[in-house]
Each structure stands twice: as C-alpha cells, then as structure tokens.
Amino acid sequence: MRSISILRNVLKGTKFVAPENSFRFLSTQAIRPIVKENLEIVSPFPDVTPKKEFPVHLAIAAAQRWSHLTAFECGFTGVSYTFGDLLDAMQRFGGFLQRNDIGRGDIVAIFMPNSVHYPWVFIGIMMSGAAFTGINAAFTANELRYQLLDSGAKAVVVDPIMESVVEKAIADLPNPPSVYVTGPSQHGRVNLVEVTNDKNTPFATLPEFRADDVLGILYSSGTTGLPKGVKFLNRSVSTHIPMMLHPDIYPIEPATNNHQDTVIGLMPFFHAYGIYTILISSLLMGTKVVTLPLFDPETFIELHKRHKVRVIHLVPPILKFLVTNPMVKAEDLEHIRVALCGAAPCPAEVAQAFKEKAPHPIFFQELFGMTETMPTHLVPIKGKEKLGSCGPLLPNTRAKVVNLSTGVSLPRGEEGELYIKSPVLPLDYHNRPEATSELFSEDGWLKTGDVAKYDEDGYFYIVDRIKELIKVKGNQVSPSELENYLLQHPGIADVGVIGVNDPRFGEKPRAYVVKKLPSLTESDVIEYLKDKVAPYKQLAGGVKFVDELPKNPTGKLLRKIVKEWAMKE
C-alpha cells in the first residue's frame, strides 16, 4: 500500500419502508446445546425466518430510515456520507452502470481499499442488477489479472492511487473490462465521484430480482492454492441477516433517535469478515462506520477514543498489538465494552490479557466463519464468555465433528473435522466443478477443512487446519498449539510453525520466529517448549529467525509461503 500521507490526500475527495427488528428473543437460560443421537449438533437458538426482502431492498430501506445519520466517515480526512447521501450516490451509480450496458448477468470488480466510496459502489452494483467481486487492495497486477479473468468481470471500479496497477493488469487482455475511477483519473477515465454528485445523473431502474440471482463472488484467501470464487445468492444473504443480527447474539444496537453505535471499518471490505460483519451489518443497524484503508496504530487508537467506540472489531495480530505495545494505555480502551475477534483462532491467553489491560469489563466474542459459509459461530452477547471458543452455532445451522480417518461422528471433547449444514451455503465454486465436489460430503455437509471440538455447552473450539497438521511418526501435531505456547515466551514477537519433510519421522515441526529480544537463541526456544508438549511435538526441525512472517490482510499466517521458504533452504 502507499504511504499514509498519499492516502490522506486522495481520500478527501423509489421508496421503501425499513423493516422493524422482528427477531425472536431468547433468554440466556435457554442457551443449551442440542445433540442428536447421531451426534449432530443443532443451534441452541430457535430457527429464524429469512427476510422476505432481498439485500438491495433492505439496503435502500435502511438508508431511508436513517437518512439524517452519518453512515460512513473517512478516518483520515473526516469526509463523510449520511445515509441519505449514500442512498443518492448508490442509485446514481447503479443508473450509470445501466446506461453503460451493465446489469443482470454481469460482474463488476471493486479494486479499492476501505473508504467512504466503497459502500455506494458495492450497493450501486447490486441496484444495476449486476454482481460484484471484491479484490484485495494489496494485489499486484498479476494477482488482479487472475481475478478479473476468473470472475469474468465486465468492469472494474478502482481507487485513483491504484489505477496504475489496473493499467498493467489489463494491458495485454484481448477484451479488457471497462475501468471507472472513484476520483481524478490519470488516464482521463470517468470520475465516479463527479458522476454521483451530479444531480442530473439518473437513478437506477431496479430490475426484477430473483432469489437465485448471484449477488457476489467472494474469493477464498488462497492459503492452500489459487483463490477460488464463492458464489452467494440473494436468498443466501436474506437468510443470513436475521441469523447474524439476532439481538441475543450480535453486540451492536440498532440506531434510534437518541443512540447510534460507531465502529471502525478497518477489516477489508473485499473480505468476508469486513463485508458481512462490518459493512452490511452496520448498514442494516444504522451504525456509523469510520473507514481506515490500512492499519495505522496511532490513528486506530485515536479513532476509538474520539468516537467512543463501544464494540471493537479485531483479528489476532491487532489484538496482540493492543496487548503488548507500550504505546497502548489502559485509558485508550476506556469506552470499549465488547471485543469481537475473527478471521483466525484467538489464543485465550491474549484475550485474557486484553481484558485485564482494559479499565472496564469487556465481553470477548470470537467469531468463526469461512468465505464459503459466512459466519456460522459467534459467542452470543447474552451467553457465556469462553475465551478460546468461537461459540455455539448461529440459528438455522447444524454441525458435526467427524473422525479424520473414518468419517464417523465424534462426541464432545474429541477433535475431528468440522462439518456444517446451513441454508446460506453456496451452490458451488465459480468455474470449479472439481473443487465444488470436494467441498461437500456425499450427504450434503460442507467440509470446512478445520479441526474442531465442542464442549458440554455446545461451544466450539477451532484447533487447526487439516492440511496444516504436521504428521510425526503417525501422530498429528497442531502448529497452532505450538504457536500459542511459543507466543507466551517474552522474547518472541511472532512465530509460525510448519512441518518439514524427514525420511525417518515423516515430518518434523520447525518454528520460524520473529524476535522481540535480540539475545534470543535457538536453544532458548527449544528449551522453552520442552516441558510443555509431548516429545513428538518438540521442534525437531529446528528454529529459524526471520524479520517478518507473511500474513494475509486479516492477519492469517500464510503457511504456504513459509513452507516454500523451507523447501528453498
């Protein structure tokens, strides 16, 4: 990404009745796991009824209902949109697309960092009848080209600071997509901010939406291969909204005449966490979102204080920063009452340290979901707090944990692969029939690829990824388990564990360590782990010191790249 100063400069620049909150209320005493005879776990929450309206209608209704409130504000420049401004901009952008022959059956790519423009681009695409695909704002031209080609995008909307990357990506394409810019263009392209500010730009004519229309194609993170496009339909999101925003589960309160929650929109909007948990959910709850295009520590902390943020959205690396960095004081966490952490399993010790650092009690919520599933688990705001757990199943959701070898369902406390059934699951991967067949079991369960277990309260714990387990003499070793122990060493700032091939053992665990203390040695690390885990889990593959570990935008370790390092050594 570019520098903070460049971003600051660049970023300056039909009626519906809103549905009332009609979710069922469930007292905390009613939260009990339901385990059937076949060891299938059912959500402890009663099923909720899917929304009759499609997402675009819900977005319009919300924008009208809270038209006078601020919807999105840039954390660097202070430029903001009210919900009314948002409604106007998304209708004009949708109309612009339609006049440029973009609508039903077309894909429009969004290649932008988080900004106040992202929401009206996202919803405007839906209003035109087209579907969106969000692209990682840190992608190179090669990575961008891959997703444009794989998705079949007819157009791409780009932030001005990234227009040169698009130029390189489409330079040799026989049928390049149309390119539109959310600001001044270096190549004379259409400036969409001017288009949406022009009162003469006609509104979109809403097409007749259908339940099975593709709303968007989200791409998996690609940690174990090339990213795959996950298709989500109108009915998927309409079904998931009341599951996620259940008032006993979700921590944000809907806006009223006297109250409006504010959240910081740092989690990338191209990612499932950012678009579901922050962008869409905030829009439908009337929440103000202060956008950040990248993690700038001082700005991140200052915005939480200035806006008196009650619910903080986190990923494990940012949580660890807040806990360990001396620049973060207890008073900086003054207004926080709920921490919601997702994208990767959160070590219970780090969550506990965060709670102890804060000056007031904080309820810690962990979330689990995949690009393929949307969120499926969340520690309910009116339930038990269990650090290290991603909570029980959301309403309308079922799960089972199966033996990795036999596929037999396992009882509580035993580790196996997590299987999910939910009405929001995707039909398939985009243009990937073989990958789709591998995603589902013969009887229709989605195989998450995650090793998990559940307890007597129906709370789930994600242990590791199946493909990342290290096999030592037939024993399975969780790299995450070793990482959690090693992160407690005062001399270790960050760590990634992989298995390296060995003719005798099959694989041996190896740690790649970022030092916090310059004096830290390999023997220090190995000795620290000796009395904490079984002999076969020891770091027989050694310790390598590195300056930095490769992470994706949500902070998940890119273990595939670390393994490539090992192969080159």
Side-chain angles (χ1 to χ4, degrees), residues 62-79:
Q64 184 186 39
R65 179 179 182 183
W66 291 297
S67 62
H68 60 293
L69 297 178
T70 300
F72 293 88
E73 178 180 310
C74 177
F76 286 146
T77 67
V79 172

Side-chain angles (χ1 to χ4, degrees), residues 229-379:
V230 181
K231 292 191 291 191
F232 278 101
L233 312 180
N234 271 325
R235 60 174 171 81
S236 301
V237 179
S238 294
T239 300
H240 192 264
I241 286 168
M243 293 164 55
M244 178 74 178
L245 302 187
H246 191 297
D248 282 3
I249 300 173
Y250 193 64
I252 300 292
E253 299 171 1
T256 66
N257 290 333
N258 302 313
H259 170 82
Q260 184 187 28
D261 268 321
T262 298
V263 298
I264 306 303
L266 172 66
M267 304 306 149
F269 292 158
F270 69 82
H271 189 273
Y273 186 5
I275 203 159
Y276 289 131
T277 310
I278 297 180
L279 195 158
I280 294 177
S281 297
S282 296
L283 175 63
L284 299 181
M285 299 295 278
T287 306
K288 176 181 176 180
V289 179
V290 179
T291 62
L292 278 179
L294 47 75
F295 180 59
D296 174 50
E298 290 185 9
T299 304
F300 183 74
I301 296 166
E302 191 272 333
L303 288 175
H304 279 87
K305 292 171 62 178
R306 186 201 315 167
H307 293 278
K308 300 180 179 180
V309 173
R310 190 177 61 85
V311 179
I312 184 170
H313 290 84
L314 299 167
V315 291
I318 294 178
L319 176 64
K320 186 179 180 185
F321 162 80
L322 295 175
V323 169
T324 61
N325 196 296
M327 73 177 285
V328 183
K329 310 298 183 185
E331 54 266 29
D332 295 327
L333 311 176
E334 172 71 23
H335 303 286
I336 296 171
R337 296 295 183 272
V338 180
L340 199 163
C341 192
C346 176
E349 298 82 6
V350 181
Q352 182 61 42
F354 181 70
K355 287 168 64 68
E356 291 173 358
K357 187 170 187 177
H360 300 288
I362 287 179
F363 188 88
F364 200 92
Q365 291 186 290
E366 194 170 339
L367 170 80
F368 172 79
M370 303 166 60
T371 305
E372 289 83 352
T373 66
M374 303 190 212
T376 57
H377 299 69
L378 176 60
V379 174

Side-chain angles (χ1 to χ4, degrees), residues 400 419 421 436-447:
K400 61 181 178 178
Y419 281 23
K421 270 192 180 181
T436 301
S437 64
E438 294 174 357
L439 180 64
F440 291 97
S441 67
E442 291 183 358
D443 52 351
W445 289 86
L446 183 141
K447 300 181 287 186

Side-chain angles (χ1 to χ4, degrees), residues 83-305:
F83 281 90
D85 296 332
L86 177 64
L87 177 62
D88 190 80
M90 66 195 196
Q91 290 184 107
R92 296 189 193 282
F93 177 53
F96 169 84
L97 290 176
Q98 289 176 337
R99 292 195 312 281
N100 283 274
D101 195 31
I102 295 173
R104 185 186 296 280
D106 295 325
I107 303 294
V108 179
I110 308 176
F111 186 48
M112 300 165 57
N114 289 10
S115 74
V116 294
H117 304 313
Y118 207 112
W120 58 255
V121 170
F122 165 60
I123 305 168
I125 292 169
M126 288 193 286
M127 295 191 75
S128 74
F132 79 98
T133 184
I135 301 180
N136 189 332
F139 269 5
T140 64
N142 286 336
E143 293 167 315
L144 173 60
R145 183 188 300 112
Y146 166 78
Q147 189 164 333
L148 291 175
L149 289 172
D150 190 75
S151 64
K154 189 173 182 178
V156 56
V157 179
V158 62
D159 188 284
I161 62 171
M162 295 147 66
E163 190 178 5
S164 60
V165 182
V166 175
E167 280 290 304
K168 294 177 183 177
I170 67 174
D172 57 352
L173 296 183
N175 296 299
S178 302
V179 180
Y180 306 118
V181 188
T182 56
S185 169
Q186 302 172 2
H187 301 276
R189 295 189 172 104
V190 173
N191 181 337
L192 292 178
V193 174
E194 292 180 348
V195 169
T196 55
N197 285 338
D198 185 351
K199 300 305 179 184
N200 294 317
T201 301
F203 285 176
T205 301
L206 292 183
E208 184 179 345
F209 295 100
R210 298 177 296 224
D212 288 336
D213 283 342
V214 176
L215 175 70
I217 303 177
L218 293 182
Y219 276 73
S220 64
S221 59
T223 54
T224 57
L226 287 173
K228 298 181 288 291
V230 181
K231 292 191 291 191
F232 278 101
L233 312 180
N234 271 325
R235 60 174 171 81
S236 301
V237 179
S238 294
T239 300
H240 192 264
I241 286 168
M243 293 164 55
M244 178 74 178
L245 302 187
H246 191 297
D248 282 3
I249 300 173
Y250 193 64
I252 300 292
E253 299 171 1
T256 66
N257 290 333
N258 302 313
H259 170 82
Q260 184 187 28
D261 268 321
T262 298
V263 298
I264 306 303
L266 172 66
M267 304 306 149
F269 292 158
F270 69 82
H271 189 273
Y273 186 5
I275 203 159
Y276 289 131
T277 310
I278 297 180
L279 195 158
I280 294 177
S281 297
S282 296
L283 175 63
L284 299 181
M285 299 295 278
T287 306
K288 176 181 176 180
V289 179
V290 179
T291 62
L292 278 179
L294 47 75
F295 180 59
D296 174 50
E298 290 185 9
T299 304
F300 183 74
I301 296 166
E302 191 272 333
L303 288 175
H304 279 87
K305 292 171 62 178

Side-chain angles (χ1 to χ4, degrees), residues 401-404 410-417 451-453 463 478:
V401 174
V402 305
N403 183 283
L404 298 180
L410 299 172
R412 71 185 186 192
E414 295 194 23
E415 297 178 1
E417 183 174 7
V451 180
K453 62 182 179 180
V463 178
S478 164

